[in-house]
Amino acid sequence: VCVAGYGQSGGNEILQLLPPPTLQVKETQGLCPERDFKVECGGFSNRPVYSLKYVPDTSLLVTSGPPDSSLQVWQVSAEDSDVIKSVSAIPTENGAGQPWAKMATISARAPWVLHGSRLDSVQITEVESRKKVYTAASGNSEELSGLAFLDCNTLLLCCAKGQLCLADVRQPQSPLEAASVPSALCGERWCMGVGRGPQGSDSSSQPVARLSSGGHLTLTDVRKLSESLASARCRVPSPSSGAEFLCVSWAPALEGCLAISGFDGTVHVYDTRSWDGSGREAEPIFVHKGHAFGGWDSGGSPPLVTAHTWHPQKPRTLLSAASDGSLHVWDWVQSCGK
């Protein structure tokens, strides 16, 4: 597990943590005496880390953060060293003054990073050679909130205003067309999470969830981005003004389940299989409140969950981090009535 700090002053830590033994076994076991993460290696970034991605099949990490949209590439240490060291930077054209870059990584043909801060600055760069592989054709300068590889040729982009956009690496000259959101939900900031399709289905049927700063969730199929399959309103304490930590993610091993965070010190888990197009309030099947009881962050405020992710094999296990520097691993038992 890799974590990083996002403080504005220099010296933000980047750490690779070894999970406790109980997380590394395939089957469920009883009480485990060792419950702490161990620091395997680490380093320091002189700029805030707003996004951190591991590059599959390599020992590289890519990070992004203010004050511009460039990326930093890091080498996770070899066995004889415990240092994560900076090895290169990936600049972007006209990147000065742009928001920090959103990123996605893949290692299908070669280790690639998809990155950009606006719709007209999206590109794919080969991480090791820093060679530009793809540049999107767009005259639209909408700010991006998320990027994803659907496969090695197809990209999905989400604008901060909620529009979704498909792009094809094999057709770099095709202008990007953005599918809009319902006008009633305009003015909110959005993020997206891409899930896996039903078992046995092809990659083109992947579900997409979009979460707004007002707590609205809308579900879409990548084959028909202009149509909403279902929608709901989440029970969040108050609309998120900054929306910088909004996060929605699909469970990789539980059909129809997703988690949201970024509104307060909690993570909500929802089962979307009964949702329709009414947009009515949805009841979470579980709420993790551990961070909310952890104390105060450095700014003297209650902790805010900054990121969460699902364990790739354990269906009901998640990891979450918060603004007080806490990292939690947790799961839940579904009640018999559900």
Side-chain angles (χ1 to χ4, degrees):
V1 179
C2 291
V3 295
Y6 62 92
Q8 296 303 317
S9 58
N12 287 294
E13 283 186 294
I14 298 180
L15 302 174
Q16 179 169 283
L17 307 174
L18 187 67
T22 185
L23 259 193
Q24 299 181 65
V25 294
K26 287 282 192 280
E27 69 281 349
T28 303
Q29 63 177 37
L31 287 174
C32 183
E34 185 57 68
R35 298 180 59 198
D36 292 334
F37 286 84
K38 284 192 171 70
V39 177
E40 279 199 297
C41 51
F44 289 95
S45 170
N46 58 9
R47 55 198 292 164
V49 177
Y50 278 29
S51 181
L52 182 155
K53 300 290 182 186
Y54 165 66
V55 184
D57 304 327
T58 72
S59 57
L60 300 174
L61 301 172
V62 185
T63 62
S64 68
D68 55 33
S69 60
S70 65
L71 311 183
Q72 285 65 52
V73 183
W74 304 80
Q75 173 79 54
V76 178
S77 65
E79 289 181 7
D80 57 346
S81 169
D82 59 1
V83 176
I84 297 176
K85 61 181 181 180
S86 175
V87 290
S88 65
I90 298 175
T92 49
E93 292 176 18
N94 308 316
Q98 285 200 15
W100 59 281
K102 312 310 182 289
M103 303 185 298
T105 55
I106 197 172
S107 194
R109 300 184 185 128
W112 284 358
V113 57
L114 167 66
H115 57 107
S117 58
R118 300 189 185 280
L119 207 52
D120 56 3
S121 69
V122 174
Q123 63 185 67
I124 295 175
T125 305
E126 198 171 286
V127 177
E128 290 164 314
S129 67
R130 287 183 286 168
K131 174 186 170 189
K132 198 182 293 183
V133 178
Y134 166 85
T135 303
S138 176
N140 189 331
S141 60
E142 285 284 352
E143 184 183 346
L144 290 170
S145 64
L147 304 163
F149 282 102
L150 298 180
D151 54 42
C152 61
N153 293 314
T154 318
L155 321 172
L156 184 63
L157 320 173
C158 181
C159 298
K161 291 183 179 176
Q163 308 98 312
L164 291 175
C165 194
L166 271 177
D168 195 312
V169 174
R170 297 161 296 188
Q171 300 170 344
Q173 302 308 315
S174 296
L176 300 180
E177 303 271 342
S180 61
V181 292
S183 57
L185 303 179
C186 289
E188 299 181 354
R189 289 182 65 88
W190 294 77
C191 69
M192 75 166 179
V194 182
R196 299 176 184 172
Q199 206 154 20
S201 65
D202 61 6
S203 62
S204 65
S205 64
Q206 289 166 271
V208 181
R210 278 174 290 173
L211 171 67
S212 83
S213 54
H216 293 97
L217 263 169
T218 179
L219 310 183
T220 314
D221 191 306
V222 294
R223 294 171 295 188
K224 288 187 177 179
L225 292 181
S226 57
E227 294 180 17
S228 173
L229 295 177
S231 60
R233 188 164 47 85
C234 304
R235 189 179 295 173
V236 295
S238 60
S240 175
S241 54
E244 59 183 329
F245 296 120
L246 282 186
C247 183
V248 56
S249 64
W250 290 94
L254 278 180
E255 187 182 346
C257 269
L258 56 77
I260 69 164
S261 64
F263 295 91
D264 56 10
T266 64
V267 182
H268 290 208
V269 179
Y270 291 90
D271 185 344
T272 67
R273 288 175 296 180
S274 63
W275 289 7
D276 53 26
S278 65
R280 65 174 183 264
E281 185 172 276
E283 189 76 29
I285 57 174
F286 186 80
V287 180
H288 175 66
K289 300 178 181 178
H291 295 284
F293 299 121
W296 305 87
D297 63 20
S298 57
S301 304
L304 175 66
V305 174
T306 55
H308 75 261
T309 188
W310 294 80
H311 191 288
Q313 286 95 27
K314 296 177 184 288
R316 291 190 172 91
T317 300
L318 292 94
L319 293 86
S320 53
S323 56
D324 61 350
S326 59
L327 175 66
H328 289 185
V329 186
W330 47 276
D331 54 20
W332 82 96
V333 177
Q334 206 160 357
S335 63
C336 297
K338 298 181 179 181

